[in-house]
Amino acid sequence: MRLSRRDRLALYTKAAHNALGLVGRETYPPAIIWVLTQRCFYRCVHCDSWMDQRPIDGAALLAIADELAAVPTKIVALSGGEPFMVKCLPEIATRLKRAGKLVTINTNGHLLEEHADWLVAEGVDHVQVSVDGHDAELHDCIRRQPGSFDRILRGIESLRTKRRRGAKPRVSVCGVLMKENAAHLVDFVDRFAAVADAVEVQPLHDSPGLLATSASAPFSAADREAVTDQIASLAARHPAFANEYYRSFPRFLFEPESMQHFAVDHCLPMIFNTLTIREDGACRICRYPLGANILTASVREIWNSPARWELYRTLVRDGCSAPCWTRCHMHPSVAPGRVLKKAVELLG
């Protein structure tokens, strides 16, 4: 999720207030990632969300939406699975927008065309579409869904056509770098830079509770040179990718043991300011359970719990034993994270 300058300023303002928690003040999460459902109708080679057949409880989701609408959180990111499988998604977005939230939706894009009208009408701020290849042949193979690439393109075009010039929602495309598409990373960004408002990439990672890997082929040491070359070419062609986050892809993929503390440096501003709510209401900080559920406790109680502060102290001290490498929506470099680590050590 790449925020506009205005939205970043609003988020940083909330984050500055949240930092008062270091000195014992009661605060609220500036951002919430809410997984509405783990269900999805695609059978992507790298994900097993399609195996989840649990029913979707619309009434429970609307109750959670009301709880989130009532707290001073700035950003609510609606995710899945595939969130457009949730029939009450338009009502959830409406309630959050009326409460002044910045609402983003992360989707596989398959149903985007038929939902474009209400996304524009409700002023949803941002739609992030996941795409797995630079062309139909590669993408549809990874998604195991013939025709999905062209359908996603139609959805993006429909959404961008229906919105007024400069209006919402902004549309970004996010690709997952895996062995199957690694040779076409530059091709991918070239293709979608002309289609979407922004393009992002993240490396595939096995992260329980966040992204469950399935049948994707693993990288080997022999792939490192090709990946490194693609990252270097990408940075040369597209300056937005010339930063530490993308330069660290080869390290993450081929030296994961070296990321234990470096990943915390990068991610701490995000996890310090973001609460994750899973599809069953269970609350986490990143992948780490807090032992609380939004259906039985308030955001205020969960966010200010001793469990959250103990988690930060543990991560600062021990690092993350199985890190992911997702672009931080707070800041793309590790510098703020290292400052925050010192603050947690001294005050947390």
Side-chain angles (χ1 to χ4, degrees):
M1 176 175 59
R2 186 172 296 172
L3 300 175
S4 67
R5 183 176 301 175
R6 178 180 178 181
D7 291 337
R8 281 201 307 272
L9 179 60
L11 181 61
Y12 291 164
T13 300
K14 292 287 186 182
H17 182 267
N18 182 52
L20 295 174
L22 288 163
V23 292
R25 292 279 296 276
E26 186 175 89
T27 64
Y28 287 88
I32 290 176
I33 298 173
W34 182 12
V35 180
L36 299 177
T37 178
Q38 195 60 37
R39 294 179 64 175
C40 184
F41 43 78
Y42 279 160
R43 296 194 174 198
C44 303
V45 299
H46 58 290
C47 182
D48 59 10
S49 286
W50 61 270
M51 298 177 66
D52 192 320
Q53 297 298 315
R54 287 173 293 175
I56 298 170
D57 187 340
L61 292 176
L62 289 173
I64 295 173
D66 289 338
E67 164 74 11
L68 303 190
V71 300
T73 292
K74 179 59 182 176
I75 297 177
V76 181
L78 306 175
S79 188
E82 175 45 52
F84 283 111
M85 292 184 70
V86 177
K87 289 186 175 11
C88 61
L89 177 61
E91 179 61 22
I92 289 172
T94 296
R95 295 185 186 192
L96 294 173
K97 285 303 301 177
R98 288 177 180 171
K101 309 304 181 190
L102 193 159
V103 176
T104 80
I105 298 177
N106 299 336
T107 173
N108 63 32
H110 192 83
L111 300 174
L112 196 56
E113 187 173 14
E114 61 195 71
H115 289 276
D117 285 332
W118 74 259
L119 289 167
V120 173
E122 292 299 334
V124 169
D125 298 274
H126 179 241
V127 174
Q128 179 171 286
V129 184
S130 64
V131 182
D132 293 321
H134 70 295
D135 62 15
E137 181 181 6
L138 179 57
H139 172 90
D140 292 358
C141 180
I142 292 173
R143 287 280 168 97
R144 295 170 172 164
Q145 182 70 47
S148 61
F149 184 84
D150 290 337
R151 181 160 179 159
I152 291 169
L153 287 179
R154 291 196 303 270
I156 294 173
E157 177 61 23
S158 176
L159 190 56
R160 297 189 76 194
T161 298
K162 290 177 185 294
R163 69 184 189 185
R164 297 182 302 277
R165 183 181 298 274
K168 301 173 183 177
R170 295 181 76 249
V171 182
S172 67
V173 165
C174 184
V176 175
L177 176 65
M178 62 191 88
K179 188 178 179 73
E180 286 83 351
N181 60 21
H184 297 284
L185 181 59
V186 176
D187 296 331
F188 175 84
V189 177
D190 285 348
R191 176 69 178 84
F192 285 99
V195 172
D197 299 312
V199 183
E200 297 181 7
V201 181
Q202 67 182 54
L204 180 66
H205 58 275
D206 186 3
S207 190
L210 294 177
L211 177 63
T213 54
S214 184
S216 178
F219 281 106
S220 68
D223 298 314
R224 180 163 189 161
E225 182 177 358
V227 171
T228 301
D229 288 346
Q230 283 285 305
I231 294 294
S233 297
L234 184 59
R237 289 177 62 85
H238 298 276
F241 291 84
N243 60 53
E244 190 169 30
Y245 170 67
Y246 288 105
R247 286 194 295 270
S248 299
F249 273 31
R251 177 179 176 182
F252 172 79
L253 292 169
F254 302 103
E255 302 174 57
E257 68 285 350
S258 76
M259 300 290 288
Q260 184 169 342
H261 290 280
F262 184 68
V264 175
D265 293 345
H266 168 79
C267 293
L268 191 58
M270 180 167 68
I271 64 177
F272 187 79
N273 290 288
T274 306
L275 176 67
T276 297
I277 303 174
R278 295 296 304 177
E279 66 282 354
D280 57 0
C283 293
R284 302 183 179 204
I285 299 296
C286 190
R287 71 170 70 195
Y288 300 99
L290 290 175
N293 193 294
I294 195 65
L295 297 174
T296 56
S298 68
V299 171
R300 178 186 61 80
E301 292 168 326
I302 295 167
W303 189 248
N304 294 283
S305 67
R308 173 173 163 251
W309 290 102
E310 180 57 32
L311 170 62
Y312 296 149
R313 288 190 288 269
T314 300
L315 287 172
V316 167
R317 182 184 67 243
D318 301 334
C320 179
S321 60
C324 62
W325 194 242
T326 302
R327 189 177 189 275
C328 175
H329 55 241
M330 298 298 299
H331 197 276
S333 80
V334 298
R338 289 172 176 165
V339 172
L340 187 53
K341 281 177 72 172
K342 290 294 184 183
V344 171
E345 289 174 344
L346 293 172
L347 302 171

